[in-house]
Amino acid sequence: MPFMTDPTPRRAPAGAAVLREDVTEAIRAAVFEELAAVGFARMSIEGIARRAGVGKTAVYRRWKSKLSLVLDLVGAFAVQGMPAPATGSLHGDVRALLEVAAHALRHPVASQVIPDLLVEAARHPEIADAVTAALLDGQQGVMTRIVREAVARGELPEGTDPGRALDLVVGPLYWRLAVVRTPLPEGYVDDLARSAVAALTA
């Protein structure tokens, strides 16, 4: 009939209301808290929805499963990236990178979530790819810039491998905070920065 309209436009406002950004962010925050509280294996859509104060349908409208939800959350970190330090010296840049990484790894939620995701990454290739992007790719880009600028200043030789540099700089920090999970002693970041720079310039 001439006066009838397509039903799709009538549904659009409702859909837009359901997918409000504040609800989406509440769900993402709830995922962090749920991961920290029970881990990935025991995490459920029901628990996430309850913690976010929404219905399960609000979660399922955005993500089809808890795996896709976690992958989206972890992937968001890769997009955010990490600002590259610009202190004017190799030691200053390395120390600044370590300070930022240590602060992130000591966060109460991150200290629970990251080790659990590393375990799950061994079981789920999709999680492994997302974790690699979030925990490695961003820092690899930062270290590449640090090395490039240090080479330009004459502090490092041409051909210095940014991947090896990243291993030397943040590897001990990840081991200490994400694997062994012991507090950092006083002056640890300063000592690690000096040791890493000495190894890179040897």
Side-chain angles (χ1 to χ4, degrees):
M1 296 177 66
F3 61 86
M4 292 184 66
T5 59
D6 186 278
T8 302
R10 290 201 300 270
R11 290 199 298 266
V18 168
L19 297 180
R20 293 198 320 264
E21 186 60 28
D22 60 328
V23 174
T24 302
E25 290 306 313
I27 294 172
R28 287 189 173 123
V31 174
F32 260 129
E33 295 170 5
E34 194 74 358
L35 276 170
V38 303
F40 179 83
R42 294 175 56 199
M43 186 179 75
S44 67
I45 296 295
E46 291 82 359
I48 293 168
R50 183 169 55 252
R51 197 177 287 271
V54 301
K56 287 190 298 181
T57 54
V59 180
Y60 280 118
R61 283 190 180 101
R62 292 162 171 81
W63 299 278
K64 62 183 180 179
S65 67
K66 70 175 185 178
L67 178 57
S68 63
L69 205 170
V70 169
L71 291 179
D72 176 69
L73 190 67
V74 173
F77 285 106
V79 173
Q80 290 173 4
M82 176 186 292
T87 66
S89 73
L90 176 60
H91 178 270
D93 286 352
V94 166
R95 196 198 179 288
L97 175 61
L98 283 169
E99 192 65 43
V100 171
H103 178 75
L105 289 169
R106 281 184 292 198
H107 188 281
V109 175
S111 66
Q112 294 293 325
V113 171
I114 291 175
D116 189 57
L117 285 180
L118 291 175
V119 170
E120 293 301 327
R123 304 171 185 160
H124 300 278
E126 305 97 323
I127 291 182
D129 291 342
V131 168
T132 297
L135 300 183
L136 177 61
D137 291 355
Q139 291 187 1
Q140 183 70 64
V142 172
M143 182 54 72
T144 297
R145 178 174 168 180
I146 290 174
V147 168
R148 183 174 63 245
E149 294 182 353
V151 169
R153 289 191 299 262
E155 294 178 284
L156 288 176
E158 290 282 353
T160 298
D161 181 7
R164 176 177 175 272
L166 187 63
D167 291 344
L168 288 170
V169 173
V170 302
L173 189 67
Y174 272 104
W175 173 261
R176 188 83 182 229
L177 293 177
V179 181
V180 180
R181 302 175 71 181
T182 57
L184 299 183
E186 186 72 26
Y188 179 85
V189 170
D190 289 323
D191 289 343
L192 181 55
R194 283 191 294 268
S195 298
V197 170
L200 289 171
T201 56

